[in-house]
Amino acid sequence: DGDRTFGAFFDTPARVAFDMDSAGDGTITVSCEAPGLCLYLIDGTDAYNVVKQFLGIIGPSFLPPLWAFGYGQSRWGYKSDKEIRRVADKHRALGIPLDYLCMDIDYMDRYIDFTVNGHRFPAMTQYVEDMKTKGLHLVPIVDAGIKIEPGNPVYDEGIQKGYFCTNREGENFQAEVWPGMTHFPDFLRAEVREWFGEQYKFYTDLGLDGFWNDMNEPAIFSTEYRAKTAKPDAERGDPVQPERHIADFKDFFHRLEDGTRVSNYEVHNIYGGLMTRASGEGLDRLLDRRYLLFSRSSYIGAHRYGGIWTGDNASTWHMLRQNVYHMPSLNMCGFLFSGADTGGFGGNAGRELLLRWLAVSVFTPLMRNHSALGTRRQECYRYQNPEDFKAVISLRYRLLPYLYSEFMKAALRQDMFILPMAFGFLGDETARRIEDQLLVGESIMIAPVLEKGALGRKVYLPEPMTEVRWDGEEFRCTGADAGTREITVPLNEVVFYIRKDCLVPVAKTTAASTAELDLSDVELLGTGTAYRQYLDDGYTKDCSLERCTVLQKEP
């Protein structure tokens, strides 16, 4: 009858379908193909209250280190340490801030997990250390499949201890992924997760403290039962017929703790999330400091162990808009540390699209530029007037005293970091219908430009706010009345809003990396009188709201 506010969480590892009023009679139908679905109903005073209750139930967020909030550059196709070093040197030469570089599958020996190609990346330990002296971290990819290769210690131990998923006949299931035929670890078992997490010691011994898990739906090219029939996807090479893989997922099996066998099809939703759990728990044991971890596939609850990115997107304006829509949804599910492949993974990002996308990613915890082999090189310095890209990215570093503080406070409170307008302005019907403006923390509202060729956009302010313009050199603050307004936003500027009676601490200078940034040396923007700032060393695991101090704005 519309009088009751509640949330529904359909918890199932199997395939679930949602029919959202397709008949037009107001009926929503949810169906699941396997037994065992758990339905949680949460009553609340409003939608935001329901979400906060849900976040309190599923547990606290993963906490990445400060450097993970810096700008990251990535590409499928960096073939050697020399190529990655050239990318880093170019950023430093042009003054474009950079904190980490991601290494896709080419750093491995024949795409095998827990290996390094010694020809392309000789003296890896020294290389990692050299990069850290420049304020740069290296972040390797880790895939789900373990190559079938006797003599490889990870493969041999997995075989010896029976840690891999099995096929119809009870033998180890074989599927083709990047390294060729592989086995998949059976992450549903605690002993397998512990074993897999221990394998990250290979990387931590090299000095690495950031990782991204990929291909962990799991993605499959072909199997021992079924040859590859789909043409490679132009964006990455993954098969393009998802329905075809239903048979693949029905062909391999997990063994539960009580010995029961279940097909992956029955538990497919949780596989990637359990890989994230295995990795996160292993890294917690291996490292005495916080680390970066994010995943392509995940599930409710895995936010406690790592972040997530929105997968292999494309260089389109539609995907940019989807990025904006995805952020509050992911936050509602507990995934505070999240973001998209800035600029788009597949396709060729034009200058305008990349600049507008960066202006969105400035406010998302994960800010990574990532693109696919065979697409236009997407590093910012390859476009005309790279100083415009420097201007936008430098805003990220000026805002880090605020963004880091708000993220940590939200995580420690088990709250959202990026919210829809409706959650901040309850009862405002106009705000409730707006999806392309977002609240970032307690003080900031963003209204990014999302249309090709647009010189600006229409913005709705539910209350008087402070409009802030950043042009790469200074913040220009002006009062803005409540209501709807048209604004102009040049490509080399970012506009955001500070809410009424709120403050935003900003660093007094930008920096080449977070290692050079003093988050305590700030100026306060906005009309408020005090701001509660969370501050720590950026690495400690001992995080609590007791680390907050109150900053007072001088009259």
Side-chain angles (χ1 to χ4, degrees):
D1 57 9
D3 293 331
R4 180 184 179 190
T5 300
F6 69 96
F9 170 39
F10 296 85
D11 186 13
T12 172
R15 196 178 197 191
V16 60
F18 293 82
D19 182 334
M20 309 299 286
D21 189 26
S22 63
D25 60 359
T27 301
I28 297 175
T29 303
V30 182
S31 57
C32 183
E33 296 184 11
L37 181 149
C38 292
L39 173 60
Y40 298 85
L41 295 176
I42 304 173
D43 282 301
T45 55
D46 53 68
Y48 188 20
N49 175 263
V50 169
V51 170
K52 286 194 285 188
Q53 288 187 63
F54 179 66
L55 295 177
I57 293 169
I58 63 177
S61 169
F62 156 75
L63 298 176
L66 172 61
W67 66 262
F69 291 85
Y71 179 63
Q73 178 59 50
S74 180
R75 181 174 174 82
W76 174 26
Y78 289 154
K79 298 292 186 182
S80 68
D81 59 351
K82 293 183 178 62
E83 185 173 4
I84 292 176
R85 196 186 298 272
R86 284 194 296 269
V87 174
D89 290 347
K90 193 68 173 178
H91 275 80
R92 291 290 185 257
L94 293 174
I96 302 174
L98 184 67
D99 260 87
Y100 62 93
L101 297 115
C102 293
M103 301 186 296
D104 211 309
I105 55 178
D106 292 300
Y107 83 87
M108 301 179 187
D109 176 17
R110 294 170 293 131
Y111 308 143
I112 301 173
D113 280 347
F114 312 112
T115 67
V116 169
N117 186 310
H119 297 290
R120 294 178 173 181
F121 291 84
M124 189 65 163
T125 303
Q126 187 60 51
Y127 179 53
V128 172
E129 185 60 32
D130 289 347
M131 297 297 273
K132 283 187 177 180
T133 63
K134 299 179 180 180
L136 296 167
H137 295 254
L138 296 172
V139 179
I141 194 172
V142 181
D143 287 344
I146 302 298
K147 181 174 175 58
I148 299 173
E149 184 164 279
N152 179 316
V154 179
Y155 168 79
D156 288 345
E157 186 176 10
I159 290 292
Q160 178 189 356
K161 296 184 176 179
Y163 284 163
F164 296 124
C165 294
T166 55
N167 61 13
R168 303 172 195 160
E169 293 75 32
E171 302 296 326
N172 292 316
F173 177 72
Q174 300 183 38
E176 179 194 4
V177 199
W178 293 114
M181 298 305 285
T182 68
H183 294 324
F184 291 122
D186 192 351
F187 291 121
L188 272 68
R189 293 152 55 194
E191 61 180 330
V192 178
R193 292 196 299 272
E194 182 177 0
W195 165 76
F196 189 83
E198 289 170 356
Q199 305 312 313
Y200 282 77
K201 187 175 187 299
F202 172 83
Y203 298 114
T204 59
D205 284 350
L206 295 172
L208 296 164
D209 53 2
F211 310 89
W212 52 303
N213 289 345
D214 198 7
M215 306 294 286
N216 56 342
E217 290 77 20
I220 294 174
F221 296 167
S222 66
T223 74
E224 58 189 294
Y225 300 113
R226 197 168 293 99
K228 183 174 181 178
T229 58
K231 294 181 180 179
D233 187 294
E235 294 176 12
R236 179 152 186 125
D238 298 346
V240 295
Q241 299 177 16
E243 290 301 314
R244 168 185 170 273
H245 292 295
I246 289 177
D248 296 335
F249 303 139
K250 290 180 177 179
D251 282 340
F252 76 98
F253 294 81
H254 302 266
R255 179 168 60 83
L256 304 183
E257 303 294 350
D258 63 1
T260 305
R261 292 181 85 210
V262 296
S263 74
N264 180 266
Y265 182 75
E266 297 174 85
V267 295
H268 185 74
N269 290 346
I270 61 175
Y271 188 83
L274 290 176
M275 179 185 177
T276 299
R277 178 178 179 179
S279 307
E281 290 179 336
L283 290 166
D284 261 335
R285 294 190 296 268
L286 290 166
L287 296 172
D288 59 359
R289 60 190 185 278
R290 301 194 322 249
Y291 49 85
L292 171 60
L293 176 64
F294 58 98
S295 174
R296 190 170 85 178
S297 175
S298 204
Y299 192 71
I300 298 293
H303 70 287
R304 299 192 295 268
Y305 309 101
I308 196 170
W309 94 99
T310 58
D312 293 351
N313 60 5
S315 300
T316 67
W317 291 89
H318 169 73
M319 283 292 186
L320 169 57
R321 182 173 287 275
Q322 289 298 311
N323 183 186
V324 174
Y325 296 163
H326 287 154
M327 294 310 299
S329 299
L330 289 170
N331 272 243
M332 291 178 204
C333 296
F335 289 98
L336 272 59
F337 191 82
S338 53
D341 286 343
T342 299
F345 177 71
N348 299 313
R351 183 176 186 276
E352 179 190 6
L353 176 61
L354 183 53
L355 279 167
R356 293 302 194 198
W357 209 317
L358 285 166
V360 172
S361 297
V362 157
F363 299 96
T364 66
L366 176 62
M367 185 185 185
R368 180 180 73 145
N369 179 337
H370 184 46
S371 55
L373 184 70
T375 65
R376 175 185 296 154
R377 297 298 292 251
Q378 202 166 280
E379 297 87 359
C380 294
Y381 56 78
R382 296 183 184 276
Y383 295 83
Q384 185 180 16
N385 298 329
E387 62 270 17
D388 291 346
F389 294 87
K390 175 183 175 181
V392 176
I393 296 172
S394 65
L395 174 60
R396 170 67 162 216
Y397 288 74
R398 293 292 298 272
L399 282 175
L400 271 179
Y402 173 80
L403 296 174
Y404 182 69
S405 174
E406 290 299 298
F407 179 95
M408 294 297 288
K409 287 190 296 184
L412 294 170
R413 292 194 307 255
Q414 294 179 232
D415 204 341
M416 296 175 67
F417 170 65
I418 296 181
L419 301 83
M421 291 280 285
F423 284 14
F425 301 99
L426 298 172
D428 188 315
E429 286 301 309
T430 301
R432 187 175 66 84
R433 294 192 296 270
I434 293 175
E435 295 185 292
D436 62 355
Q437 296 178 207
L438 300 175
L439 301 176
V440 181
E442 67 183 26
S443 302
I444 285 180
M445 185 197 80
I446 63 171
V449 178
L450 304 175
E451 301 293 336
K452 179 178 175 59
L455 301 179
R457 61 162 292 163
K458 182 182 294 185
V459 179
Y460 173 67
L461 304 184
E463 63 186 11
M465 296 186 184
T466 300
E467 182 180 280
V468 184
R469 286 183 175 267
W470 168 257
D471 60 5
E473 298 292 335
E474 62 179 354
F475 294 99
R476 303 194 305 277
C477 302
T478 56
D481 294 333
T484 301
R485 59 180 47 227
E486 293 280 351
I487 64 170
T488 299
V489 186
L491 282 174
N492 60 352
E493 292 188 7
V494 180
V495 177
F496 62 94
Y497 293 85
I498 301 177
R499 296 183 61 182
K500 180 182 178 182
D501 298 328
C502 290
L503 291 174
V504 172
V506 298
K508 291 181 178 177
T509 61
T510 190
S513 70
T514 54
E516 300 179 8
L517 197 62
D518 184 355
L519 299 188
S520 66
D521 186 20
V522 300
E523 58 181 297
L524 298 170
L525 307 179
T527 59
T529 57
Y531 177 79
R532 193 164 176 251
Q533 184 185 21
Y534 176 93
L535 197 61
D536 62 21
D537 60 10
Y539 286 93
T540 181
K541 289 183 176 181
D542 181 21
C543 303
S544 75
L545 291 173
E546 294 178 359
R547 293 182 178 274
C548 291
T549 57
V550 176
L551 305 179
Q552 298 284 348
K553 187 176 183 181
E554 297 180 2

